[in-house]
Amino acid sequence: MSFEFYQGNASENTTPKITVRKGGQLVLTSGAVDMLGDDVEFVQLAYNATKGVVGIRGAGEDAQGRYRLRSQKNSGSRLVTGKRFFTHNGLKIDKAKTFDAEAYDGGIVGFKLTDEPAETVTETPTPVETAPAKTAPAKKTGGQRKAKAA
């Protein structure tokens, strides 16, 4: 059996997107990184609970609460380990999800974490309704016996 292997260049996603992986790691495409500005090495993360928006902005090397924006091998994407940030804000990430990166005021790039405001996401779930109790089947009574003819 013979195979021909693809030997083209790896494709690079330049669309501004941010993926949140299970556990809170953020992956920013090169397009999202460009939105932050040139030569950004550190970022700060913020959360607007009212709007359900996670914000990212470039930060100086000495900024408190900064995260290193790490390069990813063979890709223009950059990584931010945001596990502590998501835990601090009570945000649970069960599975990876990709969001469109949006520009906000003050040089903040971010994404809306949910379609609902955060208050409704953190509410206690409504209990599941139980099915109505089944009624016990009627007891069988002994059938009438036919009298034997003598």
Side-chain angles (χ1 to χ4, degrees), residues 130-150:
T130 55
K134 292 184 178 179
T135 55
K139 288 187 178 181
K140 292 184 180 180
T141 56
Q144 294 181 347
R145 292 186 185 176
K146 294 184 181 179
K148 286 187 179 180

Side-chain angles (χ1 to χ4, degrees), residues 14-18 28-40 43 54 56-58 69 76 78 99-111:
T14 57
T15 306
K17 301 245 184 222
I18 300 171
L28 287 72
T29 63
S30 60
V33 172
D34 289 345
M35 290 174 70
L36 288 170
D38 294 334
D39 301 325
V40 173
V43 295
V54 173
I56 305 167
R57 71 176 178 189
L69 194 57
R78 307 285 291 277
F99 303 91
D100 290 328
E102 299 180 43
Y104 294 95
D105 292 337
I108 297 173
V109 175
F111 57 94

Side-chain angles (χ1 to χ4, degrees), residues 111-135:
F111 57 94
K112 190 168 186 179
L113 194 56
T114 64
D115 293 333
E116 303 174 32
E119 294 84 45
T120 57
V121 173
T122 57
E123 287 179 350
T124 306
T126 307
V128 176
E129 290 184 31
T130 55
K134 292 184 178 179
T135 55

Side-chain angles (χ1 to χ4, degrees), residues 32-103:
V33 172
D34 289 345
M35 290 174 70
L36 288 170
D38 294 334
D39 301 325
V40 173
E41 290 185 45
F42 296 95
V43 295
Q44 289 177 309
L45 303 176
Y47 182 59
N48 181 315
T50 306
K51 302 283 186 187
V53 174
V54 173
I56 305 167
R57 71 176 178 189
E61 190 174 332
D62 57 346
Q64 189 172 357
R66 73 187 179 284
Y67 290 85
R68 181 175 294 280
L69 194 57
R70 297 178 291 122
S71 296
Q72 193 171 14
K73 278 188 176 179
N74 301 325
S75 171
S77 297
R78 307 285 291 277
L79 305 174
V80 176
T81 304
K83 181 177 181 176
R84 289 180 290 159
F85 166 79
F86 284 99
T87 300
H88 172 78
N89 287 290
L91 303 170
K92 187 173 180 179
I93 307 301
D94 293 327
K95 62 180 181 176
K97 188 168 181 183
T98 301
F99 303 91
D100 290 328
E102 299 180 43

